[in-house]
Amino acid sequence: MIFEIKSVNPDNCELLLDFYSKYGDRSFNWYEKKLKKEIISGTIIGKICTINENEIIGAYLGRIQSLLSNPSLKAVQSIDTLISPSYRGGKILIKLAKEFYDFFIAYLT
């Protein structure tokens, strides 16, 4: 299987919302209200795993926020992970998590 891991951004927001509404437990409208504005603004960051260029099979999302103890410090809270049922139990989650953590370590430094 050939897959690609990409960053979450406004260009793939609709694909991500479709993925969540297909495999998550809520409707498209619910995910749109929860995620779209923050993805577009860059407050929600993350990684997606795709096959066939535009078919998302996994996502790992985080929210950039201030620390209560020191609002000038950057922090990222992991908020959601979803893998399509046919790819669960494999290495997709491990690869997504590694890419996500490497990305935000670079982002925070």
Side-chain angles (χ1 to χ4, degrees), residues 9-19 28 32 36 56:
N9 61 55
D11 293 336
N12 55 35
C13 181
E14 293 296 319
L15 285 174
L16 186 60
L17 297 175
D18 287 338
F19 171 72
F28 181 90
E32 184 176 44
K36 186 174 184 174
I56 298 176

Side-chain angles (χ1 to χ4, degrees), residues 26-44:
R26 306 288 177 139
S27 69
F28 181 90
N29 290 338
W30 190 90
Y31 287 110
E32 184 176 44
K33 288 177 187 174
K34 179 183 176 189
L35 302 173
K36 186 174 184 174
K37 186 176 180 182
E38 290 185 86
I39 290 171
I40 290 171
S41 72
T43 305
I44 289 181

Side-chain angles (χ1 to χ4, degrees), residues 62-102:
R63 179 177 284 116
I64 299 170
Q65 57 191 34
S66 302
L67 290 175
L68 293 175
S69 62
N70 187 347
S72 66
L73 294 176
K74 297 176 188 175
V76 176
Q77 176 189 11
S78 177
I79 61 167
D80 204 89
T81 305
L82 181 62
I83 307 296
S84 69
S86 54
Y87 293 94
R88 292 178 187 162
K91 296 187 179 190
I92 299 296
L93 177 60
I94 294 167
K95 291 181 184 295
L96 274 172
K98 182 177 178 354
E99 290 276 339
F100 179 75
Y101 289 114
D102 288 348

